[in-house]
Amino acid sequence: GRLNGYKFRRQHPIPPYIVDFYCEAARLVIELDGSQHNQAVDQVRTTHMEVQGLRTLRFWDNEALQQTDAILEIILRAVSDRTSTP
């Protein structure tokens, strides 16, 4: 949904991938990684996003569940940085 007025889309397609969350206004991708994730594969995805001018934040899924407030604060800072920079 929304975070301080910023809209996030869940399971948003950015071909050839589908990202966990995407905020168009901040050009920010949020990925929640579980035990099935492979660091090398994740780096390829992240590089693909960067080439398109998107920033990617990655968190472990259990970290997001256990430290939700801290994760939200990091995301809010990232959104603010991206939208306040020309």
Side-chain angles (χ1 to χ4, degrees), residues 15-63:
Y17 304 107
I18 296 176
V19 300
D20 292 327
F21 298 94
Y22 178 63
C23 177
E24 186 174 10
R27 301 189 51 77
L28 180 65
V29 171
I30 308 294
E31 294 277 46
L32 299 178
D33 298 336
S35 60
Q36 76 280 8
H37 282 264
N38 175 299
Q39 217 171 2
V41 173
D42 290 345
Q43 185 56 52
V44 170
R45 284 175 68 111
T46 298
T47 300
H48 175 77
M49 302 305 161
E50 288 173 350
V51 166
Q52 295 187 52
L54 306 175
R55 180 177 178 192
T56 301
L57 295 180
R58 292 187 165 279
F59 303 101
W60 290 106
D61 55 1
N62 64 335
E63 178 183 45

Side-chain angles (χ1 to χ4, degrees), residues 1-10 21-28 30 72-85:
R2 293 186 178 267
L3 180 64
N4 273 16
Y6 295 100
K7 182 179 180 179
F8 284 81
R9 294 186 190 127
R10 193 177 194 301
F21 298 94
Y22 178 63
C23 177
E24 186 174 10
R27 301 189 51 77
L28 180 65
I30 308 294
L72 291 174
E73 184 62 35
I74 292 167
I75 294 169
L76 276 173
R77 261 187 274 134
V79 169
S80 296
D81 290 347
R82 290 296 289 232
T83 56
S84 62
T85 303

